[in-house]
Amino acid sequence: MVTPLRVFVVDDEPLARNRLRELLDDCAEALPLSLVGEAGNGLEALDKLSLTPADVVLVDIRMPQMDGIELAQHLNKFPQPPIIVFTTAYDVYAIQAFELHAVDYLLKPIRQARLLDTLNRVRLRAPLGGEVLQQLQPESRKYLAIHERGKILLIPIEEVLYLRAELKYVTVRTIQREYLTEESLTALEQEFASRFVRIHRNCLVAKAKIEGFERAMAGPGGEAHWTVKLKGLNETLPISRRQQSIVREFG
Amino acid sequence: MPRAQSINQNPMPDTLPNCRSSGVVLRSVALLNAGVLGIALIQASSWSDALAYGLRGFALLEPVLFSVLLLLYLLQPRLSKLPYRQGATVVIAIAAMISLLFCVLWPAVYALTADNSYFDLTRSVLLGAGSSAVLLVYFRLWRQALSPALHEARLQALRARIRPHFLFNTLNAVLGIVRSQPKRAETALEDMSDLFRMAMEEGHDLTPLRKEIELARRYLALEEMRLGERLQLNWEIQPEAEAALVPPLLLQPLLENAVYHGIECLPQGGVIDVRISTNGRELVLEIANPHPEKRGDFKGHKIALDNIRERLALLFDVEARYQVDAARDHYRVRITVPYLLEA
């Protein structure tokens, strides 16, 4: 007996989800599958999928707040990323990109035969590479997804003051509090190069949040060095000797 | 011999410029005065000289010009009934006659060379006829330059308003209820065919606003099926406004923009405000929608808006106004057109 394919549906339109539910029902006769859940937006999808994993996620591209491609980027960072199949009614650019990178997609209205065909095929596929998703959407993500006690928190990237690597994790600091993420500082630096600047081997700060620079003494008898003060934050962060030039650039 | 004619070849008939439209009057005044300035510059040998020539030129031109315009304004209803050639001849004759009249009645001012009155009289006729002929050619070219745009705009409007995104998503939504709520699916398909029929109708120049509102409601009923409670509407229509004549497909593309760029992008949706009012002279249509805060990207809005702007310019020239207020979290379009009633 084959284990049924676990399918999850994300679409902001209830009737579109309805349609997919019925089609999946029809497909179940030919292919063992189970609909493990559905969501109306990106956050709900991340939340539910972190609790009940799925093999295949059908993701609508055009959704409010977080579009399908960003959702796929977050899903891809799961320990066991699901296979993503995009759905769209009409999006010339996205479809061109999908064809180019051999990404699976379904055109709405979706035909049952096409859905069945796709589900049969993707079972054997490896999840999309991160680079492919990056190419589908050259813009950086709008949120960081933080896994915390079985929940997923979405932190808008514009609220982040600094990112600091600490042992195994990276600390994400907003005005309210700190979060931990497993993403690497180097990858974050590359993705958000226009937003953050490196002030230290282990620290990136948001350019827009820099309030000023101060001279400080490092320990008793130590040398004076520069620190950066961020808006709304009392602590100051040390700037390493190699990054001193940013004081002139942003000061 | 009968000429073969494709149905696509449907050139706009030449028509005289409407001398009761402020655009035509403003353009005539501006062009002729610019001409006077040009002549003054050519004649002059210094700046103060040019100013003197210019002022003298204006003083001579304006009484003649405004008399001609006034007469054309009064004759407009009759002139508009004439075939183009005859109408143009009448206009040129009027300009020549009035110009001659000024020369005869006020020789002290208009007869520049007292010793050569024959020259003066001929010159006034030539100047009057010549400048009016130049203006007529200008208006004809201007209209020709715009008329393919009318055609193109119509085609583009057709493409823009039946946005494939809307068509396929709506079909998908209907398929989503076909099994569970067949009655509702039927209504939706009926709405859809009404909407497309009205949208594809061979357009007249103007259509009653009542029909435009009905088209808009059909469209919005379909969007409501798809978006559910996310789409809220607030109509405020002054009853007198409904009888007004407007260019077809004015309202629906604006509403589609409001849904596509506003409501659909908001997880909680929002309210589209439609306000239509008139003061008896002008008709004001205002559509406002919330949209997510972002770094001002209104490109999508632009296509439909450019199209509407172009059609308004063609139909009403400077008498139609068009304002966009794109704020951080809302978008408002306001269109003002002359208040016209069905004959």
Side-chain angles (χ1 to χ4, degrees):
Chain A
M1 156 112 199
V2 207
T3 45
L5 190 70
R6 294 167 301 174
V7 185
F8 192 96
V9 170
V10 193
D11 198 304
D12 61 315
E13 293 179 23
L15 301 186
R17 295 200 299 273
N18 208 29
R19 162 88 176 146
L20 266 173
R21 219 171 18 233
E22 288 171 352
L23 286 177
L24 287 167
D25 239 22
D26 296 346
C27 289
E29 290 164 18
L31 171 78
L33 61 82
S34 69
L35 180 64
V36 291
E38 51 182 75
N41 61 60
L43 177 59
E44 195 189 338
L46 286 171
D47 246 352
K48 287 188 173 167
L49 281 165
S50 67
L51 295 174
T52 48
D55 303 309
V56 181
V57 183
L58 303 174
V59 179
D60 182 31
I61 295 178
R62 196 170 191 271
M63 290 189 293
Q65 207 167 22
M66 181 194 283
D67 64 34
I69 295 175
E70 174 160 1
L71 173 61
Q73 287 176 324
H74 290 300
L75 288 174
N76 237 15
K77 298 198 190 296
F78 274 30
Q80 279 170 332
I83 288 158
I84 312 273
V85 175
F86 290 107
T87 62
T88 181
Y90 183 84
D91 189 336
V92 182
Y93 300 108
I95 291 168
Q96 277 174 358
F98 294 160
E99 292 287 349
L100 191 66
H101 299 286
V103 176
D104 288 294
Y105 68 92
L106 291 165
L107 284 178
K108 294 194 224 176
I110 298 164
R111 274 171 184 277
Q112 192 216 326
R114 179 84 211 275
L115 176 64
L116 184 62
D117 190 47
T118 306
L119 290 177
N120 266 322
R121 192 152 28 91
V122 295
R123 276 205 305 179
L124 313 167
R125 281 212 181 203
L128 288 175
E131 329 76 64
V132 172
L133 284 171
Q134 199 103 60
Q135 278 167 320
L136 290 183
Q137 181 142 297
E139 286 168 43
S140 48
R141 284 171 290 165
K142 285 187 281 184
Y143 301 91
L144 290 178
I146 308 286
H147 298 242
E148 204 175 83
R149 278 178 246 110
K151 289 278 289 175
I152 294 209
L153 306 171
L154 288 181
I155 316 299
I157 199 73
E158 64 258 30
E159 284 181 17
V160 177
L161 297 173
Y162 68 76
L163 298 160
R164 189 164 59 196
E166 259 144 281
L167 298 171
K168 213 178 144 215
Y169 297 100
V170 168
T171 302
V172 178
R173 183 70 162 100
T174 66
I175 286 193
Q176 290 84 22
R177 49 168 288 204
E178 293 182 348
Y179 306 86
L180 295 178
T181 174
E182 285 184 42
E183 296 186 39
S184 88
L185 196 66
T186 323
L188 288 168
E189 183 182 20
Q190 274 170 14
E191 182 175 355
F192 300 107
S194 61
R195 184 173 287 275
F196 292 93
V197 58
R198 195 178 270 267
I199 58 162
H200 198 276
R201 188 170 37 80
N202 66 357
C203 189
L204 308 174
V205 301
K207 294 175 191 168
K209 305 284 184 183
I210 295 177
E211 191 170 82
F213 298 93
E214 290 168 13
R215 288 292 267 182
M217 300 302 270
E223 272 181 75
H225 65 278
W226 284 103
T227 61
V228 60
K229 169 94 180 62
L230 297 175
K231 286 172 197 160
L233 209 62
N234 282 327
E235 57 177 315
T236 57
L237 301 166
I239 300 173
S240 74
R241 193 170 286 280
R242 295 173 64 181
Q243 311 293 340
Q244 299 268 320
S245 60
I246 70 155
V247 178
R248 254 173 292 128
E249 201 178 318
F250 292 90
Chain B
M1 196 179 84
R3 274 188 306 168
Q5 205 174 21
S6 135
I7 46 166
N8 290 327
Q9 279 176 347
N10 193 8
M12 298 248 300
D14 279 322
T15 45
L16 283 177
N18 176 1
C19 294
R20 292 196 171 181
S21 106
S22 33
V24 168
V25 172
L26 284 176
R27 283 193 170 82
S28 308
V29 171
L31 279 173
L32 287 182
N33 280 297
V36 165
L37 270 185
I39 293 166
L41 264 182
I42 292 169
Q43 287 182 315
S45 49
S46 72
W47 283 117
S48 56
D49 212 15
L51 186 69
Y53 275 122
L55 286 177
R56 200 174 121 92
F58 290 151
L60 292 176
L61 168 68
E62 252 60 72
V64 183
L65 173 58
F66 283 101
S67 310
V68 175
L69 286 174
L70 182 70
L71 196 58
L72 290 178
Y73 180 93
L74 295 175
L75 291 177
Q76 171 61 28
R78 280 160 183 254
L79 279 175
S80 64
K81 289 197 187 97
L82 293 176
Y84 181 76
R85 270 160 193 275
Q86 287 181 32
T89 316
V90 172
V91 170
I92 292 172
I94 286 174
M97 259 170 48
I98 290 194
S99 176
L100 179 67
L101 211 62
F102 271 86
C103 195
V104 171
L105 293 180
W106 288 282
V109 183
Y110 282 90
L112 301 179
T113 50
D115 56 328
N116 193 348
S117 64
Y118 171 72
F119 170 70
D120 270 328
L121 294 177
T122 325
R123 182 173 63 175
S124 67
V125 169
L126 279 178
L127 281 177
S131 51
S132 57
V134 167
L135 279 181
L136 283 173
V137 168
Y138 161 76
F139 281 117
R140 194 169 156 207
L141 289 177
W142 182 62
R143 218 182 137 76
Q144 277 172 354
L146 280 177
S147 64
L150 176 72
H151 213 79
E152 184 58 29
R154 202 167 267 162
L155 287 174
Q156 243 199 18
L158 199 77
R159 258 177 271 146
R161 70 183 179 264
I162 304 170
R163 228 182 222 140
H165 169 85
F166 164 71
L167 173 64
F168 295 124
N169 270 317
T170 307
L171 284 173
N172 193 48
V174 174
L175 283 168
I177 53 172
V178 120
R179 295 187 201 179
S180 51
Q181 309 170 52
K183 277 268 186 288
R184 211 175 141 208
E186 277 174 28
T187 316
L189 286 177
E190 283 158 6
D191 276 345
M192 217 162 158
S193 73
D194 279 353
L195 173 69
F196 276 66
R197 188 185 310 283
M198 282 194 259
M200 287 171 170
E201 216 165 66
E202 264 310 306
H204 314 279
D205 271 0
L206 297 171
T207 182
L209 183 63
R210 209 178 322 106
K211 268 186 89 178
E212 276 291 290
I213 293 173
E214 200 189 318
L215 181 82
R217 287 193 199 272
R218 293 285 147 121
Y219 162 69
L220 289 165
L222 289 167
E223 294 288 38
E224 272 178 315
M225 166 188 76
R226 210 156 62 78
L227 298 171
E229 287 178 357
R230 275 161 69 196
L231 176 58
Q232 307 277 324
L233 294 161
N234 180 27
W235 294 87
E236 277 175 47
I237 303 173
Q238 205 180 315
E240 303 89 87
E242 290 196 28
L245 290 173
V246 292
L249 294 166
L250 187 64
L251 211 47
Q252 191 272 342
L254 294 173
L255 288 167
E256 194 169 332
N257 269 350
V259 171
Y260 186 82
H261 297 283
I263 307 304
E264 268 189 18
C265 302
L266 293 161
Q268 308 307 324
V271 185
I272 298 182
D273 282 300
V274 186
R275 238 175 253 129
I276 302 175
S277 61
T278 176
N279 59 6
R281 277 189 312 112
E282 287 179 327
L283 179 74
V284 181
L285 302 119
E286 199 176 293
I287 293 172
N289 64 275
H291 67 81
E293 293 182 22
K294 55 175 180 180
R295 337 138 263 246
D297 169 27
F298 299 110
K299 264 193 217 118
H301 275 277
K302 258 197 86 214
I303 301 170
L305 291 187
D306 282 349
N307 171 327
I308 289 170
R309 201 189 327 246
E310 203 170 332
R311 283 192 292 154
L312 287 177
L314 187 78
L315 284 165
F316 300 115
D317 198 0
V318 296
E319 282 162 90
R321 280 192 314 280
Y322 180 95
Q323 282 162 281
V324 169
D325 164 25
R328 212 164 44 100
D329 58 354
H330 76 267
Y331 192 90
R332 187 190 307 272
V333 185
R334 194 182 154 90
I335 287 174
T336 312
V337 293
Y339 179 67
L340 304 170
L341 285 174
E342 288 168 87

